[in-house]
Amino acid sequence: MNPIVRIQPRSAELGEGMLVRRTLPNRQQRMIGAWCFLDHAGPVQFEPGKGMHVGAHPHIGLQTFTWLIEGEVLHRDSLGNEQVIRPGQVNLMTAGHGIAHTEDSLHAGARLHAAQLWIALPPAHKDCAPAFDHYAELPQWREDGAELTLLAGRYGARSAPARIHSPLVGIDIACDRASVLTLALDPGFEYGLMPLVGELRLDGELIATDELAYLGRGRSQLQLALPAGARLLFLGGEPFAEPVLMWWNFVGHSKADIAQAQAEWEQGSPRFGTVGDGRAPRLVAPAIPWRAGG
Ligand code: MN
């Protein structure tokens, strides 16, 4: 059995100064299956007049996967979708060849607690037509004192509705009382666990809030001890076959793909379209650290 790799979060800034904790990608571990990005936002109570505002920005080669725990967020994209996401719901935006979107708190001065993950698209889908899906209801069940919500993929006989393209799983686990939970694992999947609230005990180690415990492959089950009030994300997947490159909001299979996407965003190319009435501020990509064509 592989020892646990403990991955510490780093702070990242979203939109107008909102800080999130980011654990993927990380030097120690770039991905868990096709999951290639993990941001944890909140829980936060915004001051009066304040909220999360992420201006228009592009994506390629990935799906953005938003899981909302508290608050309300308005998604708008360049396909013309406008969708409010509420607690217990998932937004899945398939960027494929290219899309742009904005994300804004629906109400100022409200609470927000969310996780945003990205799922890398496999080579056969990386350039697909963009799409957006909202899932208002997900499979939920109780086990050993915990409430489990299947966010994505399959777990046992259950399947989540999100349209994904790689074998993976994502589960939200919330405990209203102290609980010891046994989870069945697929030995061919690699796994990670991250407390969103509280902590968890695994193989005798205490994993803190926002610390990602990476488990690798080869386990067929897992026992977790959770205190009352703990909440965690459980992620897994078949190790991704191809290495992927990530830069800013792009996932690509070559530096040239990414440089091309960035140039097209900077030129206002129709590849990424216009979000809503086009008045949302457009995010500026940082200077690319390599030359196009690499
Ligand atoms: Mn985005």
Side-chain angles (χ1 to χ4, degrees), residues 14 54-55 57-59 62 64 66 75 93 100-103 116 118 249 283:
L14 279 193
V54 183
H57 62 280
H59 288 285
L62 58 84
T64 63
T66 306
H75 157 97
M93 186 178 78
H101 72 148
T102 58
E103 293 159 294
Q116 189 175 83
W118 296 353
N249 293 303
L283 301 191

Side-chain angles (χ1 to χ4, degrees), residues 56-58 100 248 250 261-269 272 282-283:
H57 62 280
W248 195 42
F250 304 126
Q262 181 148 328
E264 290 184 75
W265 173 251
E266 287 166 348
Q267 292 154 13
S269 154
F272 295 108
R282 283 166 58 91
L283 301 191

Side-chain angles (χ1 to χ4, degrees), residues 23-43:
T23 39
L24 288 178
N26 190 286
R27 278 194 199 89
Q28 290 157 279
Q29 190 61 36
R30 291 181 54 75
M31 300 173 76
I32 298 172
W35 299 107
C36 63
F37 181 91
L38 171 52
D39 265 2
H40 182 202

Side-chain angles (χ1 to χ4, degrees), residues 9-15 17-22 37 39-40:
R10 61 189 188 279
S11 239
E13 195 176 319
L14 279 193
M18 181 178 171
L19 291 178
V20 298
R21 277 87 60 224
R22 184 166 296 161
F37 181 91
D39 265 2
H40 182 202

Side-chain angles (χ1 to χ4, degrees), residues 33-283:
W35 299 107
C36 63
F37 181 91
L38 171 52
D39 265 2
H40 182 202
V44 59
Q45 167 69 56
F46 284 107
E47 288 170 26
K50 302 283 186 190
M52 177 182 78
H53 295 288
V54 183
H57 62 280
H59 288 285
I60 64 164
L62 58 84
Q63 296 177 292
T64 63
F65 186 99
T66 306
W67 166 235
L68 205 73
I69 298 170
E70 287 184 87
E72 291 176 295
V73 175
L74 173 63
H75 157 97
R76 284 196 179 100
D77 66 42
S78 51
L79 299 176
N81 295 295
E82 284 200 20
Q83 177 70 55
V84 175
I85 183 172
R86 298 192 163 88
Q89 301 181 341
V90 159
N91 278 353
L92 180 73
M93 186 178 78
T94 302
H97 183 66
I99 194 168
H101 72 148
T102 58
E103 293 159 294
D104 293 283
S105 296
L106 191 62
H107 305 290
R111 286 184 65 82
L112 178 69
H113 189 193
Q116 189 175 83
L117 300 105
W118 296 353
I119 302 170
L121 286 166
H125 293 275
K126 72 181 171 84
D127 217 27
C128 67
F132 174 80
D133 300 286
H134 173 72
Y135 300 100
E137 292 192 28
L138 303 169
Q140 274 195 324
W141 69 103
R142 285 196 73 85
E143 231 171 87
D144 301 329
E147 176 86 19
L148 287 81
T149 306
L150 183 58
L151 306 179
R154 292 167 177 273
Y155 185 73
R158 295 180 171 89
S159 334
R163 284 193 294 174
I164 54 171
H165 304 283
S166 297
L168 56 72
V169 65
I171 302 179
D172 175 280
I173 301 173
C175 295
D176 44 26
R177 58 180 167 83
S179 141
V180 175
L181 186 64
T182 302
L183 296 172
L185 305 187
D186 176 341
F189 275 23
E190 55 186 343
Y191 289 95
L193 288 144
M194 191 181 82
L196 297 167
V197 177
E199 59 196 21
L200 67 91
R201 189 171 286 278
L202 167 66
D203 296 353
E205 291 190 48
L206 200 61
I207 310 297
T209 310
D210 286 318
E211 190 178 13
L212 175 63
Y214 173 74
L215 303 180
R217 275 193 290 180
R219 291 180 187 237
S220 54
Q221 71 164 43
L222 187 67
Q223 199 174 64
L224 299 176
L226 300 163
R231 184 157 199 159
L232 64 118
L233 268 184
F234 169 77
L235 302 173
E238 194 174 285
F240 205 69
E242 282 217 339
V244 297
L245 289 171
M246 293 180 65
W247 166 252
W248 195 42
N249 293 303
F250 304 126
V251 167
H253 294 261
S254 74
K255 288 181 174 178
D257 285 353
I258 288 177
Q260 175 75 20
Q262 181 148 328
E264 290 184 75
W265 173 251
E266 287 166 348
Q267 292 154 13
S269 154
R271 175 174 182 178
F272 295 108
T274 302
V275 181
D277 58 12
R279 278 192 276 177
R282 283 166 58 91
L283 301 191

